[in-house]
Amino acid sequence: MSTKVDQPTQNIKKAKFKKLLNNYQLYLFLLPALIYFIVFHYFPMYGVIIAFKDFIATQGIMGSPWVGFKHFERFFESYQFWSLIKNTLSLSVLQLIIGFPLPIILALMMNQIRHEKYKSFVQTVVYAPHFISVVVLAGMIYVFFSNNGLINNFIMMFGGESISFMAKPEWFKPLYIGSGVWQETGWAAIIYLAVLAGVSPELHEAAVMDGANKWKRILHVDIPAIMPTAVILLILSVGNIMNIGFEKAYLLQTPLNQPSAEIIPTYVYKMGLQQAQYSFAAAVGLFNAVINLILLVAINKFAKKLSGQGLW
Amino acid sequence: MGLLAMKKTPRRSKEDKIFDLINIFLVAIMVILVVYPLYFIVIASISNPDMIYEGKVWLLPKDITFEGYQRIFSDSKIWLGYKNSIIYTFVGTLVNVSCTLMAAYALSRRDLYGRNLIMFLFLFTMFFSGGLIPTYLVVKDLGLLNTMWALILPKAVAVWNVIVARTYFQTSIPNELLEAAKIDGCSDAKFFWKIVLPLSKPIVAVMVLFYAVGHWNSYFDALIYLNNEDLYPLQLILRNILIQNEASTQMMSDIDSLAAKQRVSELIKYGVIIVASIPLLVLYPFVQKYFVKGVMIGGIKG
């Protein structure tokens, strides 16, 4: 009796299984990547429980004793806590405020160049710094901003006083953000430029008919066209606000600029790998990652409410 | 575009002409701001360091000397770093590109059961990660410390590149092609190898370039996973010279006075920046369009 009822569902199951079997080669294709993500991303997510334990290497992750929020409490109470938060947040917020609008402006400007050869020359040039390694970039900062480097020579040429840039905490942020602007603005403009190239010429022609000059067409045609892309990119960068590129920060740190140059990721590296306080450093890193995730979810919700678009 | 612009020319108002002029001028300033630091490195690397010190080098090299380059090229560490970086870049990129393209193709197939789940598993890692320390412990437990695999396996697949390649496959490989091949009894693997890949040369180029630049430029993985100097990639050796101020003793073994050492070390710094960037600088103008293409394909999906 029941066999009759089960027949169709069984058929569906069989069909599904057959489909899986038919595609077995595709699953084999996926296998290396899947193993990679499990081993190098999901194992560490599991491993992050050492933040709630006193990790002892010989006993492994499972065997180490639980200690609850001990490491988090130690971090919150440490004298560096507020300065780390302040440095990390101010560096990334400033970077966002300065670094986000510039590629849009650059793209709008490049889009207005009518001479094709000049345009492609400009593009080739402004994209180039993106490919410079972070070590070379930091090295360039050191040689340019050293006491007798290019910048100080320039200042002194106009009768100014030489500044020890690398030794002054207050210069860390400008150097970090300025070098980022120099390196990435052109590259980040590509995406906007692509959107602008897709704007229908008819829109512009119609605007010209209505007597709009170039400036007005930028305001009323070009900028509305790139808004959706800009919103998505803004969400992404706000969601990554605590993930500040710490490779550069680490390279730009000197013993003297430490008060403003120490940010959470460099602190995690020093505590964890240089001093082998694995559990404590994992706790600090987890704190950072969780704040980041919360920010991303919040900003996505906010953007959805405001403009109707979001990442998910 | 060119024709359209020409037709419009007579209609250009005075306002627009002023706008264009200001625009071209501002863009030119930006180009100079980008180019000058790079240009200065080049002329500084062949100038007498005293002249740089006194601020006499601005537009042209002064007292041309190739001492910096001679010292750099006679240093075995630099050559070893070069060799290591080439090996890591080659092997790493091979691993990256094969894993990424295979996964991206599988995920581009709408008939793949469970592909949304797998895609989610991949994407989630973009927004949350266990962090530096747990990742380090995994690498350590796998016994990869102090091997070249520590630089390659933990970076085997970049989610973003999977998205880019998947988007490309979805939009440029017509489904009819697959159906026709299936009727002829072609397997998925054969179809991928014989039909998809030859049709996807641009995306293969994009992937190779993105990954290769990443490997060539990275120093941090080497810093945390390697402590055997013979395995150091170029970037880590560069870091020691540029940031730690540790121009290798071999480079300056014949110099005694501290002042002279200081002088030469500056020259070496400018030189190594050029030496390390040469492969990219030479290739860049030819491959630029592929990079741009990669960004745009990724951007469509956002």
Side-chain angles (χ1 to χ4, degrees):
Chain A
M1 205 171 82
S2 63
T3 45
K4 251 186 185 169
V5 185
D6 276 345
Q7 204 62 33
T9 52
Q10 224 165 33
N11 273 348
I12 292 171
K13 262 189 192 161
K14 254 189 195 161
K16 248 186 193 170
F17 187 70
K18 219 178 161 191
K19 213 169 134 194
L20 280 178
L21 213 63
N22 269 341
N23 284 339
Y24 80 96
Q25 285 178 334
L26 292 180
Y27 290 101
L28 285 182
F29 276 13
L30 267 174
L31 203 59
L34 203 58
I35 293 174
Y36 161 76
F37 280 104
I38 290 170
V39 171
F40 289 104
H41 290 272
Y42 286 94
F43 276 11
M45 279 186 214
Y46 157 75
V48 87
I49 61 169
I50 64 165
F52 305 95
K53 292 186 160 206
D54 266 337
F55 180 66
I56 301 162
T58 49
Q59 302 191 0
I61 293 170
M62 278 315 281
S64 303
W66 291 97
V67 294
F69 286 92
K70 181 179 119 181
H71 300 295
F72 291 91
E73 280 163 20
R74 193 186 133 203
F75 176 52
F76 297 149
E77 283 159 14
S78 89
Y79 73 100
Q80 275 173 306
F81 177 71
W82 286 112
S83 99
L84 282 171
I85 297 279
K86 204 187 97 201
N87 287 343
T88 312
L89 270 181
S90 61
L91 192 62
S92 49
V93 170
L94 270 176
Q95 176 169 263
L96 185 67
I97 293 173
I98 297 170
F100 185 75
L102 286 176
I104 300 180
I105 297 171
L106 179 65
L108 289 171
M109 288 170 76
M110 290 203 289
N111 189 50
Q112 289 298 326
I113 301 175
R114 286 142 21 99
H115 194 287
E116 285 299 317
K117 271 198 182 143
Y118 181 56
K119 190 172 173 178
S120 77
F121 167 74
V122 171
Q123 283 173 309
T124 306
V125 169
V126 296
Y127 299 161
H130 174 77
F131 298 100
I132 291 174
S133 80
V134 59
V135 173
V136 167
L137 183 73
M140 284 170 70
I141 295 173
Y142 275 89
V143 293
F144 285 149
F145 290 88
S146 71
N147 286 345
N148 283 83
L150 183 65
I151 305 294
N152 271 322
N153 280 338
F154 195 70
I155 293 174
M156 286 189 288
M157 202 166 80
F158 290 98
E161 292 259 327
S162 160
I163 303 169
S164 326
F165 289 98
M166 300 313 293
K168 296 254 165 73
E170 67 267 28
W171 277 103
F172 173 77
K173 273 180 208 129
L175 287 179
Y176 184 97
I177 293 166
S179 61
V181 165
W182 180 79
Q183 185 170 30
E184 296 298 340
T185 301
W187 187 251
I190 294 180
I191 192 93
Y192 296 114
L193 215 50
V195 177
L196 286 173
V199 174
S200 146
E202 285 156 26
L203 275 179
H204 277 288
E205 277 161 26
V208 171
M209 291 294 184
D210 291 342
N213 62 17
K214 282 203 163 187
W215 177 247
K216 284 207 169 124
R217 271 150 53 205
I218 289 181
L219 283 183
H220 299 294
V221 180
D222 287 346
I223 291 184
I226 55 178
M227 270 316 265
T229 313
V231 170
I232 295 277
L233 291 179
L234 187 64
I235 299 173
L236 275 174
S237 17
V238 174
N240 264 322
I241 211 150
M242 302 289 275
N243 280 350
I244 189 122
F246 91 110
E247 303 200 350
K248 191 164 85 184
Y250 180 66
L251 291 175
L252 291 181
Q253 283 180 354
T254 64
L256 293 167
N257 68 16
Q258 211 76 324
S260 77
E262 190 76 289
I263 57 177
I264 293 177
T266 55
Y267 183 70
V268 170
Y269 168 68
K270 286 176 191 166
M271 283 294 156
L273 297 185
Q274 288 183 343
Q275 303 187 17
Q277 302 186 32
Y278 293 134
S279 283
F280 177 67
V284 178
L286 180 61
F287 168 77
N288 200 42
V290 168
I291 299 267
N292 214 1
L293 196 62
I294 293 172
L295 273 175
L296 181 74
V297 174
I299 190 75
N300 191 52
K301 218 170 202 169
F302 180 71
K304 250 185 178 168
K305 225 174 216 167
L306 211 68
S307 67
Q309 39 171 209
L311 291 178
W312 60 80
Chain B
M1 263 317 261
L3 252 177
L4 210 80
M6 268 203 293
K7 262 193 213 153
K8 261 189 220 157
T9 315
R11 261 196 265 145
R12 262 204 313 164
S13 65
K14 202 175 156 196
E15 266 176 326
D16 283 356
K17 272 183 196 158
I18 296 172
F19 178 95
D20 275 342
L21 223 60
I22 295 174
N23 187 43
I24 286 176
F25 178 69
L26 288 178
V27 171
I29 289 179
M30 283 197 266
V31 167
I32 291 170
L33 283 177
V34 170
V35 168
Y36 185 68
L38 299 171
Y39 174 72
F40 183 81
I41 299 274
V42 175
I43 57 172
S45 73
I46 51 170
S47 290
N48 182 339
D50 293 334
M51 291 288 165
I52 304 168
Y53 213 75
E54 288 162 25
K56 285 182 181 154
V57 178
W58 293 109
L59 288 175
L60 290 169
K62 293 256 164 74
D63 274 1
I64 293 183
T65 164
F66 291 98
E67 193 191 346
Y69 287 106
Q70 275 162 2
R71 288 182 188 275
I72 292 164
F73 286 127
S74 64
D75 183 69
S76 60
K77 264 193 196 169
I78 294 273
W79 287 112
L80 189 62
Y82 237 95
K83 191 194 92 190
N84 286 338
S85 280
I86 290 172
I87 296 174
Y88 302 158
T89 302
F90 183 78
V91 179
T93 306
L94 197 70
V95 171
N96 290 143
V97 173
S98 27
C99 291
T100 304
L101 288 179
M102 289 195 312
Y105 176 68
L107 288 169
S108 78
R109 285 276 296 268
R110 280 164 228 284
D111 57 335
L112 185 81
Y113 181 71
R115 74 170 189 150
N116 285 336
L117 176 73
I118 294 168
M119 204 59 212
F120 175 79
L121 275 180
F122 286 11
L123 281 174
F124 185 69
T125 63
M126 274 177 103
F127 302 115
F128 187 78
S129 83
L132 178 70
I133 306 299
T135 310
Y136 174 83
L137 291 176
V138 167
V139 173
K140 192 174 153 205
D141 287 345
L142 290 173
L144 299 178
L145 290 188
N146 269 320
T147 67
M148 104 174 161
W149 300 107
L151 310 184
I152 292 168
L153 297 181
K155 289 266 167 72
V157 182
V159 185
W160 182 250
N161 287 341
V162 175
I163 300 175
V164 170
R166 187 181 81 136
T167 310
Y168 184 90
F169 291 140
Q170 269 172 356
T171 49
S172 68
I173 307 292
N175 218 13
E176 293 77 31
L177 220 52
L178 177 68
E179 278 160 18
K182 280 258 153 105
I183 290 167
D184 289 343
C186 181
S187 70
D188 285 324
K190 206 169 162 195
F191 181 71
F192 177 69
W193 189 249
K194 292 256 155 128
I195 296 169
V196 175
L197 277 187
L199 282 175
S200 309
K201 277 182 196 136
I203 201 67
V204 178
V206 168
M207 292 290 122
V208 167
L209 291 169
F210 273 156
Y211 280 122
V213 170
H215 281 293
W216 184 262
N217 281 344
S218 81
Y219 84 98
F220 190 71
D221 293 309
L223 179 71
I224 57 181
Y225 296 132
L226 304 180
N227 53 36
N228 177 355
E229 284 201 16
D230 291 341
L231 294 175
Y232 280 4
L234 187 60
Q235 297 294 333
L236 202 53
I237 291 164
L238 270 186
R239 174 209 171 225
N240 293 345
I241 295 173
L242 288 171
I243 319 281
Q244 313 282 82
N245 240 330
E246 291 166 5
S248 87
T249 41
Q250 197 188 336
M251 276 188 202
M252 302 195 288
S253 53
D254 56 323
I255 309 171
D256 292 325
S257 86
L258 206 65
K261 265 193 182 159
Q262 175 83 34
R263 206 178 141 265
V264 172
S265 90
E266 284 300 302
L267 198 56
I268 289 175
K269 281 185 187 177
Y270 289 110
V272 288
I273 289 179
I274 303 289
V275 169
S277 313
I278 279 288
L280 288 182
L281 289 179
V282 170
L283 284 176
Y284 169 69
F286 302 103
V287 297
Q288 190 225 97
K289 61 172 184 189
Y290 288 110
F291 286 111
V292 174
K293 197 174 233 159
V295 174
M296 302 219 277
I297 297 169
I300 295 167
K301 259 237 134 159

